[in-house]
PDB file of all heavy atoms in Angstrom:
ATOM      1  N   MET B 461       6.621   6.607 -38.119  1.00 98.00           N
ATOM      2  CA  MET B 461       6.321   8.042 -37.854  1.00 98.00           C
ATOM      3  C   MET B 461       7.471   8.735 -37.176  1.00 98.00           C
ATOM      4  O   MET B 461       7.768   9.898 -37.508  1.00 98.00           O
ATOM      5  CB  MET B 461       5.070   8.123 -37.019  1.00 98.00           C
ATOM      6  CG  MET B 461       3.783   7.650 -37.728  1.00 98.00           C
ATOM      7  SD  MET B 461       3.358   8.610 -39.238  1.00 98.00           S
ATOM      8  CE  MET B 461       2.911  10.162 -38.538  1.00 98.00           C
ATOM      9  N   LEU B 464       9.964   9.804 -39.733  1.00 98.00           N
ATOM     10  CA  LEU B 464       9.520  11.004 -40.461  1.00 98.00           C
ATOM     11  C   LEU B 464       9.740  12.253 -39.618  1.00 98.00           C
ATOM     12  O   LEU B 464      10.184  13.288 -40.154  1.00 98.00           O
ATOM     13  CB  LEU B 464       8.056  10.856 -40.837  1.00 98.00           C
ATOM     14  CG  LEU B 464       7.703   9.846 -41.948  1.00 98.00           C
ATOM     15  CD1 LEU B 464       6.162   9.811 -42.210  1.00 98.00           C
ATOM     16  CD2 LEU B 464       8.434  10.126 -43.214  1.00 98.00           C
ATOM     17  N   PHE B 465       9.414  12.187 -38.354  1.00 98.00           N
ATOM     18  CA  PHE B 465       9.587  13.346 -37.505  1.00 98.00           C
ATOM     19  C   PHE B 465      11.028  13.736 -37.377  1.00 98.00           C
ATOM     20  O   PHE B 465      11.355  14.953 -37.391  1.00 98.00           O
ATOM     21  CB  PHE B 465       8.947  13.113 -36.106  1.00 98.00           C
ATOM     22  CG  PHE B 465       7.456  12.915 -36.117  1.00 98.00           C
ATOM     23  CD1 PHE B 465       6.911  12.266 -35.055  1.00 98.00           C
ATOM     24  CD2 PHE B 465       6.695  13.336 -37.171  1.00 98.00           C
ATOM     25  CE1 PHE B 465       5.545  12.030 -35.065  1.00 98.00           C
ATOM     26  CE2 PHE B 465       5.283  13.123 -37.138  1.00 98.00           C
ATOM     27  CZ  PHE B 465       4.722  12.454 -36.087  1.00 98.00           C
ATOM     28  N   VAL B 486       5.209  19.709 -39.951  1.00 98.00           N
ATOM     29  CA  VAL B 486       4.550  18.494 -40.511  1.00 98.00           C
ATOM     30  C   VAL B 486       4.155  18.715 -41.980  1.00 98.00           C
ATOM     31  O   VAL B 486       4.117  17.753 -42.748  1.00 98.00           O
ATOM     32  CB  VAL B 486       3.338  18.169 -39.623  1.00 98.00           C
ATOM     33  CG1 VAL B 486       2.354  17.234 -40.321  1.00 98.00           C
ATOM     34  CG2 VAL B 486       3.758  17.528 -38.257  1.00 98.00           C
ATOM     35  N   ILE B 489       6.365  17.203 -44.658  1.00 98.00           N
ATOM     36  CA  ILE B 489       6.458  15.775 -44.947  1.00 98.00           C
ATOM     37  C   ILE B 489       5.731  15.506 -46.231  1.00 98.00           C
ATOM     38  O   ILE B 489       4.493  15.834 -46.323  1.00 98.00           O
ATOM     39  CB  ILE B 489       5.792  14.972 -43.774  1.00 98.00           C
ATOM     40  CG1 ILE B 489       6.502  15.232 -42.405  1.00 98.00           C
ATOM     41  CG2 ILE B 489       5.884  13.396 -44.099  1.00 98.00           C
ATOM     42  CD1 ILE B 489       5.872  14.580 -41.232  1.00 98.00           C
ATOM     43  N   PRO B 490       6.363  14.901 -47.208  1.00 97.00           N
ATOM     44  CA  PRO B 490       5.643  14.549 -48.472  1.00 97.00           C
ATOM     45  C   PRO B 490       4.465  13.654 -48.207  1.00 97.00           C
ATOM     46  O   PRO B 490       4.539  12.710 -47.430  1.00 97.00           O
ATOM     47  CB  PRO B 490       6.669  13.914 -49.315  1.00 97.00           C
ATOM     48  CG  PRO B 490       8.041  14.390 -48.721  1.00 97.00           C
ATOM     49  CD  PRO B 490       7.760  14.534 -47.259  1.00 97.00           C
ATOM     50  N   ASP B 491       3.365  13.886 -48.858  1.00 97.00           N
ATOM     51  CA  ASP B 491       2.116  13.087 -48.651  1.00 97.00           C
ATOM     52  C   ASP B 491       2.449  11.629 -48.927  1.00 97.00           C
ATOM     53  O   ASP B 491       1.959  10.733 -48.210  1.00 97.00           O
ATOM     54  CB  ASP B 491       1.056  13.576 -49.563  1.00 97.00           C
ATOM     55  CG  ASP B 491       0.431  14.907 -49.169  1.00 97.00           C
ATOM     56  OD1 ASP B 491       0.890  15.433 -48.135  1.00 97.00           O
ATOM     57  OD2 ASP B 491      -0.504  15.361 -49.868  1.00 97.00           O
ATOM     58  N   GLU B 492       3.241  11.347 -49.938  1.00 97.00           N
ATOM     59  CA  GLU B 492       3.590   9.941 -50.308  1.00 97.00           C
ATOM     60  C   GLU B 492       4.271   9.248 -49.142  1.00 97.00           C
ATOM     61  O   GLU B 492       4.002   8.084 -48.851  1.00 97.00           O
ATOM     62  CB  GLU B 492       4.459   9.894 -51.531  1.00 97.00           C
ATOM     63  CG  GLU B 492       3.764  10.400 -52.842  1.00 97.00           C
ATOM     64  CD  GLU B 492       3.812  11.966 -52.917  1.00 97.00           C
ATOM     65  OE1 GLU B 492       4.380  12.548 -51.987  1.00 97.00           O
ATOM     66  OE2 GLU B 492       3.278  12.456 -53.882  1.00 97.00           O
ATOM     67  N   GLU B 493       5.253   9.908 -48.520  1.00 98.00           N
ATOM     68  CA  GLU B 493       5.944   9.304 -47.413  1.00 98.00           C
ATOM     69  C   GLU B 493       5.082   9.143 -46.186  1.00 98.00           C
ATOM     70  O   GLU B 493       5.166   8.096 -45.524  1.00 98.00           O
ATOM     71  CB  GLU B 493       7.182  10.144 -47.077  1.00 98.00           C
ATOM     72  CG  GLU B 493       8.248  10.145 -48.169  1.00 98.00           C
ATOM     73  CD  GLU B 493       9.538  10.802 -47.732  1.00 98.00           C
ATOM     74  OE1 GLU B 493       9.953  10.544 -46.547  1.00 98.00           O
ATOM     75  OE2 GLU B 493      10.142  11.521 -48.493  1.00 98.00           O
ATOM     76  N   LEU B 494       4.286  10.108 -45.910  1.00 98.00           N
ATOM     77  CA  LEU B 494       3.348   9.977 -44.774  1.00 98.00           C
ATOM     78  C   LEU B 494       2.390   8.814 -44.986  1.00 98.00           C
ATOM     79  O   LEU B 494       2.138   8.002 -44.057  1.00 98.00           O
ATOM     80  CB  LEU B 494       2.603  11.287 -44.584  1.00 98.00           C
ATOM     81  CG  LEU B 494       1.555  11.319 -43.444  1.00 98.00           C
ATOM     82  CD1 LEU B 494       2.195  10.974 -42.081  1.00 98.00           C
ATOM     83  CD2 LEU B 494       0.830  12.651 -43.366  1.00 98.00           C
ATOM     84  N   TRP B 495       1.864   8.693 -46.206  1.00 98.00           N
ATOM     85  CA  TRP B 495       0.881   7.637 -46.461  1.00 98.00           C
ATOM     86  C   TRP B 495       1.592   6.274 -46.399  1.00 98.00           C
ATOM     87  O   TRP B 495       0.951   5.285 -45.913  1.00 98.00           O
ATOM     88  CB  TRP B 495       0.176   7.893 -47.777  1.00 98.00           C
ATOM     89  CG  TRP B 495      -0.977   6.939 -47.979  1.00 98.00           C
ATOM     90  CD1 TRP B 495      -1.150   6.008 -48.958  1.00 98.00           C
ATOM     91  CD2 TRP B 495      -2.128   6.863 -47.164  1.00 98.00           C
ATOM     92  NE1 TRP B 495      -2.323   5.346 -48.832  1.00 98.00           N
ATOM     93  CE2 TRP B 495      -2.999   5.819 -47.719  1.00 98.00           C
ATOM     94  CE3 TRP B 495      -2.587   7.493 -45.985  1.00 98.00           C
ATOM     95  CZ2 TRP B 495      -4.216   5.475 -47.151  1.00 98.00           C
ATOM     96  CZ3 TRP B 495      -3.811   7.142 -45.462  1.00 98.00           C
ATOM     97  CH2 TRP B 495      -4.569   6.163 -46.054  1.00 98.00           C
ATOM     98  N   ARG B 496       2.776   6.212 -46.882  1.00 98.00           N
ATOM     99  CA  ARG B 496       3.467   4.894 -46.876  1.00 98.00           C
ATOM    100  C   ARG B 496       3.763   4.496 -45.415  1.00 98.00           C
ATOM    101  O   ARG B 496       3.628   3.325 -45.110  1.00 98.00           O
ATOM    102  CB  ARG B 496       4.763   5.012 -47.643  1.00 98.00           C
ATOM    103  CG  ARG B 496       5.507   3.635 -47.694  1.00 98.00           C
ATOM    104  CD  ARG B 496       4.645   2.526 -48.232  1.00 98.00           C
ATOM    105  NE  ARG B 496       5.228   1.196 -48.101  1.00 98.00           N
ATOM    106  CZ  ARG B 496       4.597   0.125 -47.846  1.00 98.00           C
ATOM    107  NH1 ARG B 496       3.271   0.139 -47.756  1.00 98.00           N
ATOM    108  NH2 ARG B 496       5.188  -1.039 -47.754  1.00 98.00           N
ATOM    109  N   ALA B 497       4.116   5.464 -44.577  1.00 98.00           N
ATOM    110  CA  ALA B 497       4.349   5.135 -43.150  1.00 98.00           C
ATOM    111  C   ALA B 497       3.028   4.567 -42.523  1.00 98.00           C
ATOM    112  O   ALA B 497       3.043   3.572 -41.749  1.00 98.00           O
ATOM    113  CB  ALA B 497       4.845   6.366 -42.419  1.00 98.00           C
ATOM    114  N   ARG B 498       1.928   5.234 -42.862  1.00 98.00           N
ATOM    115  CA  ARG B 498       0.619   4.758 -42.303  1.00 98.00           C
ATOM    116  C   ARG B 498       0.300   3.391 -42.850  1.00 98.00           C
ATOM    117  O   ARG B 498      -0.199   2.520 -42.062  1.00 98.00           O
ATOM    118  CB  ARG B 498      -0.486   5.751 -42.766  1.00 98.00           C
ATOM    119  CG  ARG B 498      -0.421   7.148 -42.131  1.00 98.00           C
ATOM    120  CD  ARG B 498      -0.757   7.119 -40.684  1.00 98.00           C
ATOM    121  NE  ARG B 498      -1.934   6.305 -40.368  1.00 98.00           N
ATOM    122  CZ  ARG B 498      -2.100   5.482 -39.375  1.00 98.00           C
ATOM    123  NH1 ARG B 498      -1.134   5.333 -38.475  1.00 98.00           N
ATOM    124  NH2 ARG B 498      -3.245   4.787 -39.279  1.00 98.00           N
ATOM    125  N   GLU B 499       0.613   3.130 -44.095  1.00 98.00           N
ATOM    126  CA  GLU B 499       0.281   1.750 -44.675  1.00 98.00           C
ATOM    127  C   GLU B 499       1.148   0.720 -43.988  1.00 98.00           C
ATOM    128  O   GLU B 499       0.644  -0.387 -43.671  1.00 98.00           O
ATOM    129  CB  GLU B 499       0.576   1.764 -46.157  1.00 98.00           C
ATOM    130  CG  GLU B 499      -0.477   2.532 -46.950  1.00 98.00           C
ATOM    131  CD  GLU B 499      -0.180   2.520 -48.422  1.00 98.00           C
ATOM    132  OE1 GLU B 499       0.945   2.631 -48.812  1.00 98.00           O
ATOM    133  OE2 GLU B 499      -1.178   2.408 -49.229  1.00 98.00           O
ATOM    134  N   MET B 501       2.410   0.713 -40.933  1.00 98.00           N
ATOM    135  CA  MET B 501       1.882   0.404 -39.608  1.00 98.00           C
ATOM    136  C   MET B 501       0.588  -0.369 -39.635  1.00 98.00           C
ATOM    137  O   MET B 501       0.341  -1.215 -38.781  1.00 98.00           O
ATOM    138  CB  MET B 501       1.722   1.741 -38.862  1.00 98.00           C
ATOM    139  CG  MET B 501       3.060   2.409 -38.520  1.00 98.00           C
ATOM    140  SD  MET B 501       2.978   3.768 -37.366  1.00 98.00           S
ATOM    141  CE  MET B 501       2.160   4.989 -38.362  1.00 98.00           C
ATOM    142  N   ASN B 651       0.252   9.080 -34.069  1.00 98.00           N
ATOM    143  CA  ASN B 651       0.752   8.146 -35.097  1.00 98.00           C
ATOM    144  C   ASN B 651       0.055   8.370 -36.466  1.00 98.00           C
ATOM    145  O   ASN B 651       0.171   7.527 -37.341  1.00 98.00           O
ATOM    146  CB  ASN B 651       0.485   6.718 -34.619  1.00 98.00           C
ATOM    147  CG  ASN B 651       1.571   6.196 -33.661  1.00 98.00           C
ATOM    148  OD1 ASN B 651       2.665   5.965 -34.089  1.00 98.00           O
ATOM    149  ND2 ASN B 651       1.144   6.036 -32.374  1.00 98.00           N
ATOM    150  N   GLY B 652      -0.655   9.486 -36.580  1.00 98.00           N
ATOM    151  CA  GLY B 652      -1.285   9.800 -37.888  1.00 98.00           C
ATOM    152  C   GLY B 652      -2.669   9.228 -37.983  1.00 98.00           C
ATOM    153  O   GLY B 652      -3.232   9.224 -39.083  1.00 98.00           O
ATOM    154  N   ILE B 723      -5.261  12.858 -45.796  1.00 97.00           N
ATOM    155  CA  ILE B 723      -3.892  13.249 -45.407  1.00 97.00           C
ATOM    156  C   ILE B 723      -3.901  14.696 -44.891  1.00 97.00           C
ATOM    157  O   ILE B 723      -3.175  15.068 -43.907  1.00 97.00           O
ATOM    158  CB  ILE B 723      -2.905  13.067 -46.609  1.00 97.00           C
ATOM    159  CG1 ILE B 723      -2.783  11.546 -46.879  1.00 97.00           C
ATOM    160  CG2 ILE B 723      -1.570  13.680 -46.291  1.00 97.00           C
ATOM    161  CD1 ILE B 723      -1.989  11.231 -48.121  1.00 97.00           C
ATOM    162  N   ARG B 724      -4.734  15.566 -45.507  1.00 97.00           N
ATOM    163  CA  ARG B 724      -4.789  16.918 -45.023  1.00 97.00           C
ATOM    164  C   ARG B 724      -5.268  16.924 -43.541  1.00 97.00           C
ATOM    165  O   ARG B 724      -4.728  17.683 -42.723  1.00 97.00           O
ATOM    166  CB  ARG B 724      -5.758  17.750 -45.868  1.00 97.00           C
ATOM    167  CG  ARG B 724      -5.875  19.208 -45.480  1.00 97.00           C
ATOM    168  CD  ARG B 724      -7.092  19.827 -46.068  1.00 97.00           C
ATOM    169  NE  ARG B 724      -8.337  19.330 -45.475  1.00 97.00           N
ATOM    170  CZ  ARG B 724      -8.776  19.614 -44.275  1.00 97.00           C
ATOM    171  NH1 ARG B 724      -8.111  20.435 -43.474  1.00 97.00           N
ATOM    172  NH2 ARG B 724      -9.896  19.095 -43.849  1.00 97.00           N
ATOM    173  N   VAL B 726      -4.966  14.440 -41.386  1.00 98.00           N
ATOM    174  CA  VAL B 726      -3.907  13.834 -40.543  1.00 98.00           C
ATOM    175  C   VAL B 726      -2.851  14.911 -40.214  1.00 98.00           C
ATOM    176  O   VAL B 726      -2.516  15.077 -39.015  1.00 98.00           O
ATOM    177  CB  VAL B 726      -3.217  12.674 -41.290  1.00 98.00           C
ATOM    178  CG1 VAL B 726      -1.979  12.290 -40.606  1.00 98.00           C
ATOM    179  CG2 VAL B 726      -4.185  11.475 -41.385  1.00 98.00           C
ATOM    180  N   LYS B 727      -2.444  15.712 -41.134  1.00 98.00           N
ATOM    181  CA  LYS B 727      -1.434  16.731 -40.945  1.00 98.00           C
ATOM    182  C   LYS B 727      -1.971  17.802 -40.012  1.00 98.00           C
ATOM    183  O   LYS B 727      -1.282  18.265 -39.111  1.00 98.00           O
ATOM    184  CB  LYS B 727      -0.954  17.356 -42.265  1.00 98.00           C
ATOM    185  CG  LYS B 727      -0.091  16.404 -43.089  1.00 98.00           C
ATOM    186  CD  LYS B 727       0.498  17.041 -44.309  1.00 98.00           C
ATOM    187  CE  LYS B 727       1.517  16.211 -45.003  1.00 98.00           C
ATOM    188  NZ  LYS B 727       2.104  16.867 -46.169  1.00 98.00           N
ATOM    189  N   LEU B 730      -1.962  16.417 -36.501  1.00 98.00           N
ATOM    190  CA  LEU B 730      -0.636  16.348 -35.884  1.00 98.00           C
ATOM    191  C   LEU B 730      -0.125  17.716 -35.472  1.00 98.00           C
ATOM    192  O   LEU B 730       0.398  17.885 -34.398  1.00 98.00           O
ATOM    193  CB  LEU B 730       0.304  15.752 -36.914  1.00 98.00           C
ATOM    194  CG  LEU B 730       0.292  14.228 -37.125  1.00 98.00           C
ATOM    195  CD1 LEU B 730       1.089  13.802 -38.333  1.00 98.00           C
ATOM    196  CD2 LEU B 730       0.785  13.518 -35.900  1.00 98.00           C
TER     197      LEU B 730
END
Side-chain angles (χ1 to χ4, degrees):
M461 293 298 291
L464 289 179
F465 296 158
V486 163
I489 302 175
D491 288 0
E492 295 81 1
E493 292 189 41
L494 177 59
W495 189 242
R496 182 55 190 146
R498 292 291 313 140
E499 287 181 321
M501 290 192 290
N651 278 291
I723 292 173
R724 184 197 66 77
V726 167
K727 288 186 173 182
L730 285 168

